[in-house]
Amino acid sequence: MGKASRLFNGQAEHTLYERVTPTTEQREFLQQQWNELAEHLKAELTGYGYPITTWLQGSYKYGTLIKPVHRDEEYDVDLGIYFDWDPKAVEIAPTAQQLRTWVQRELLTFKSRHPAVKDVADPPKERCSRAIYAKRFHIDTPTYHLDSKREKRELATMSGQWEDSDPKAIYKWFKGVVSGDEREQLRRLIRYLKAWAAIAFETAPDSRPSSIVLTVLVANIYSDEMWLQRLMTMDDDDALITVIKEMHKRLNKNRDVVNPVNAKESLNRIPAEAWGAFLTRLQLLKEAAESAEAAEDEVAAALAWDEALSYLMPLPEMDGVEITDPSSTTALMQIPEVKIEVAADWSFRNILQTYRNEVPSIAKGQCLRFTIINPQIIPAMAMIEWTVRNEGADADYLGDLGHTRGGMQMFVAEERTEYVGKQYMDLTVRCNGSVYAARRVMVLIEDRPMLPKPRATPRNWITLRSRKGRRR
């Protein structure tokens, strides 16, 4: 059994799968929106004289959609638009640019009638048009010529080229890799890696692997008889370690990720100049996975995964972690003690209340200052990390699942209570890449204007937002 399997997809209070996967309500909402757009496009585009069909594709179709994990990110839904004609029966066929122009025009018409659509990207992207919605998602509309008699599809580009592209064939291949419970685990592993990519490549977007690249890589490993029987018997964390190691091996040997239905095409479009940054981050992911594999218990494994997955990785239900030296069973250092001061504004001139290691009850809209009160125990060259893990519907809606800040001698961190949910401030001390100690500071905040007396069982929770994001 994997040491951190409970935190990946088990019975923990919070799991990695739950943190990165859209809720049923979120998926149903997205489905309602793309259905409405699809019906409009089918009805209006038929007027150009060709049968029109639509086909949902991308992460939603594969069952690997993840939540936006940064405040400025959106859900991405792909809705393919197909113009059907037999090239042998049509004297003058429309050009790729004509199809794209027609679709763009109808998207603009749709926007004018639907206030939920706040914008249509103009000019459109090379391979799709985009409708941008107010509720933090967009729908991309790649447009195709479909020759239904021959089951052939070509993608129309804005530059006027036709690209040999068949998303339906890749999806059929994906469904055939494994079935049942194994397919569900395959989908979960893809979600975990997409979450890693969202975190690891925030400062290097050109090096970030695409969703289809990660999907095909993991599915290829699953379809390999050498690995299939092993993976099917593993918990998610052990399976992920195995997949990461194999990915690292394959991509260091050959950067091409071959399209499973078109051996002439590599799906990997990371530029050559950005490939080094990708491999560096993949190496760090492998090292974190190996540390998790070598960990002796759940806490150590979770803290190892935290290096790669940051605030997305849930930690066990604990107050503090003391790391011992294996040779002497002596603690490497004491667990830091944290004072939390509550104030009405960022000046902290008027302290309303002070807590130690947890905040049992606090009002919404206040400022918190977290201070290590025994800094003398921190090794001189240690890295101090402060990680906020946000929970709740508002955090999901805004894509604000958390953040991490840190540095040497960073004994103080400041946050502000912002929206409905539940949050932890997690303090981790690392030396030379190894965890020396950790402290979980639980903050329970009631959604009401006045500071109450501390109470043991709060009713409604809200999360914290970084001081960095406050308005001046």
Side-chain angles (χ1 to χ4, degrees), residues 340 342 355 357-362 368 370 441-445:
I340 308 100
V342 182
Y355 297 97
N357 296 331
E358 69 171 358
V359 179
S361 181
I362 186 176
L368 303 181
F370 300 80
V441 179
M442 183 171 61
V443 181
L444 307 180
I445 307 171

Side-chain angles (χ1 to χ4, degrees), residues 220-274:
N220 271 333
I221 295 170
Y222 241 94
S223 63
D224 190 329
E225 288 296 329
M226 171 182 172
W227 293 113
L228 181 56
Q229 293 304 317
R230 300 187 200 180
L231 292 167
M232 288 169 57
T233 61
M234 289 181 179
D235 291 316
D236 279 10
D237 55 338
D238 284 338
L240 184 60
I241 291 168
T242 301
V243 166
I244 289 169
K245 288 181 177 179
E246 185 63 15
M247 277 178 51
H248 181 271
K249 177 182 174 182
R250 295 185 184 193
L251 292 175
N252 273 276
K253 183 178 180 180
N254 186 351
R255 61 170 288 164
D256 288 334
V257 179
V258 177
N259 185 332
V261 298
N262 180 4
K264 297 179 181 179
E265 180 188 9
S266 173
L267 299 171
N268 184 8
R269 293 194 172 97
I270 297 175
E273 62 272 16

Side-chain angles (χ1 to χ4, degrees), residues 178-449:
V178 286
S179 60
D181 291 343
E182 289 73 38
R183 186 186 295 158
E184 289 309 305
Q185 185 185 56
L186 171 60
R187 286 172 167 151
R188 292 196 301 272
L189 295 177
I190 293 168
R191 278 187 165 114
Y192 301 149
L193 286 169
K194 288 170 66 174
W196 160 73
I199 292 291
F201 296 90
E202 185 179 7
T203 58
D206 290 346
S207 302
R208 180 174 174 174
S210 67
S211 174
I212 190 63
V213 161
L214 293 174
T215 299
V216 170
L217 275 170
V218 181
N220 271 333
I221 295 170
Y222 241 94
S223 63
D224 190 329
E225 288 296 329
M226 171 182 172
W227 293 113
L228 181 56
Q229 293 304 317
R230 300 187 200 180
L231 292 167
M232 288 169 57
T233 61
M234 289 181 179
D235 291 316
D236 279 10
D237 55 338
D238 284 338
L240 184 60
I241 291 168
T242 301
V243 166
I244 289 169
K245 288 181 177 179
E246 185 63 15
M247 277 178 51
H248 181 271
K249 177 182 174 182
R250 295 185 184 193
L251 292 175
N252 273 276
K253 183 178 180 180
N254 186 351
R255 61 170 288 164
D256 288 334
V257 179
V258 177
N259 185 332
V261 298
N262 180 4
K264 297 179 181 179
E265 180 188 9
S266 173
L267 299 171
N268 184 8
R269 293 194 172 97
I270 297 175
E273 62 272 16
W275 186 241
F278 169 80
L279 291 180
T280 297
R281 285 161 173 78
L282 181 60
Q283 175 65 30
L284 293 174
L285 175 64
K286 176 174 173 283
E287 291 172 3
E290 290 173 338
S291 295
E293 185 178 33
E296 295 184 355
D297 53 34
E298 181 183 72
V299 173
L303 290 170
W305 284 115
D306 174 74
E307 289 194 71
L309 296 166
S310 188
Y311 54 82
L312 296 180
M313 183 65 201
L315 297 185
E317 302 81 3
M318 62 183 190
D319 294 325
V321 178
E322 198 173 62
I323 310 298
T324 59
D325 184 339
S327 63
S328 64
T329 68
T330 302
L332 296 175
M333 62 171 285
Q334 293 176 245
I335 300 173
E337 294 288 311
V338 178
K339 176 177 67 174
I340 308 100
E341 297 168 293
V342 182
D345 59 49
W346 293 109
S347 71
F348 287 95
R349 280 191 288 267
N350 182 21
I351 302 300
L352 303 176
Q353 200 151 355
T354 301
Y355 297 97
R356 176 75 66 88
N357 296 331
E358 69 171 358
V359 179
S361 181
I362 186 176
K364 182 178 180 179
Q366 294 181 314
C367 299
L368 303 181
R369 181 162 61 197
F370 300 80
T371 304
I372 299 174
I373 60 176
N374 50 345
Q376 70 279 1
I377 70 171
I378 308 293
M381 302 303 290
M383 290 293 295
I384 301 172
E385 296 176 1
W386 299 91
T387 300
V388 169
R389 286 174 168 87
N390 288 340
E391 297 288 341
D394 287 351
D396 280 354
Y397 173 71
L398 293 173
D400 187 3
L401 299 183
H403 51 268
T404 297
R405 290 176 292 147
M408 288 189 293
Q409 298 187 337
M410 191 172 179
F411 302 125
V412 179
E414 295 176 355
E415 301 288 336
R416 181 181 176 85
T417 62
E418 186 66 21
Y419 37 67
V420 173
K422 176 183 179 180
Q423 85 96 47
Y424 286 91
M425 169 65 90
D426 293 323
L427 167 64
T428 307
V429 181
R430 299 180 192 269
C431 278
N432 300 318
S434 298
V435 176
Y436 271 41
R439 163 77 69 186
R440 299 212 80 185
V441 179
M442 183 171 61
V443 181
L444 307 180
I445 307 171
E446 292 186 330
D447 189 6
R448 49 191 173 83

Side-chain angles (χ1 to χ4, degrees), residues 4-235:
S5 61
R6 192 177 68 95
L7 301 172
F8 270 73
N9 189 39
Q11 299 302 314
E13 180 184 8
H14 299 296
T15 65
L16 178 60
Y17 181 75
E18 166 256 325
R19 281 184 64 73
V20 303
T21 302
T23 64
T24 299
E25 292 76 14
Q26 288 167 334
R27 292 195 298 271
E28 289 175 349
F29 172 76
L30 293 174
Q31 182 177 3
Q32 176 186 349
Q33 302 306 310
W34 67 253
N35 273 332
E36 187 176 353
L37 178 59
E39 291 305 313
H40 170 87
L41 292 176
K42 283 191 290 187
E44 299 301 323
L45 292 172
T46 302
Y48 290 99
Y50 303 95
I52 303 295
T53 55
T54 62
W55 196 70
L56 188 66
Q57 54 200 62
S59 298
Y60 196 110
K61 186 73 173 181
Y62 282 84
T64 61
L65 186 69
I66 66 170
K67 297 174 183 175
V69 301
H70 300 295
R71 198 175 177 88
D72 58 346
E73 288 186 341
E74 301 174 330
Y75 280 105
D76 177 8
V77 179
D78 297 306
L79 177 66
I81 312 298
Y82 293 82
F83 289 77
D84 192 351
W85 74 81
D86 181 351
K88 295 184 178 180
V90 174
E91 269 190 48
I92 302 177
T95 66
Q97 285 181 326
Q98 282 179 304
L99 296 193
R100 293 297 306 279
T101 299
W102 296 342
V103 171
Q104 181 78 358
R105 184 181 301 153
E106 290 307 326
L107 285 178
L108 290 168
T109 300
F110 185 78
K111 172 183 176 295
S112 68
R113 301 173 184 172
H114 294 78
V117 181
K118 69 176 183 180
D119 201 7
V120 171
D122 194 21
K125 298 161 69 72
E126 170 68 1
R127 292 181 173 85
C128 67
S129 290
R130 173 171 293 180
I132 303 166
Y133 287 71
K135 291 193 174 181
R136 297 191 59 79
F137 73 97
H138 61 259
I139 299 179
D140 287 337
T141 56
T143 302
Y144 300 83
H145 163 223
L146 168 64
D147 181 355
S148 55
K149 286 189 176 180
R150 298 164 186 83
E151 274 294 310
K152 181 176 174 58
R153 295 164 181 83
E154 296 175 302
L155 176 69
T157 67
M158 279 305 295
S159 60
Q161 303 299 310
W162 294 103
E163 291 187 358
D164 186 10
S165 176
D166 194 344
K168 189 172 185 179
I170 300 180
Y171 176 68
K172 289 172 67 176
W173 167 83
F174 176 80
K175 285 186 65 178
V177 171
V178 286
S179 60
D181 291 343
E182 289 73 38
R183 186 186 295 158
E184 289 309 305
Q185 185 185 56
L186 171 60
R187 286 172 167 151
R188 292 196 301 272
L189 295 177
I190 293 168
R191 278 187 165 114
Y192 301 149
L193 286 169
K194 288 170 66 174
W196 160 73
I199 292 291
F201 296 90
E202 185 179 7
T203 58
D206 290 346
S207 302
R208 180 174 174 174
S210 67
S211 174
I212 190 63
V213 161
L214 293 174
T215 299
V216 170
L217 275 170
V218 181
N220 271 333
I221 295 170
Y222 241 94
S223 63
D224 190 329
E225 288 296 329
M226 171 182 172
W227 293 113
L228 181 56
Q229 293 304 317
R230 300 187 200 180
L231 292 167
M232 288 169 57
T233 61
M234 289 181 179
D235 291 316

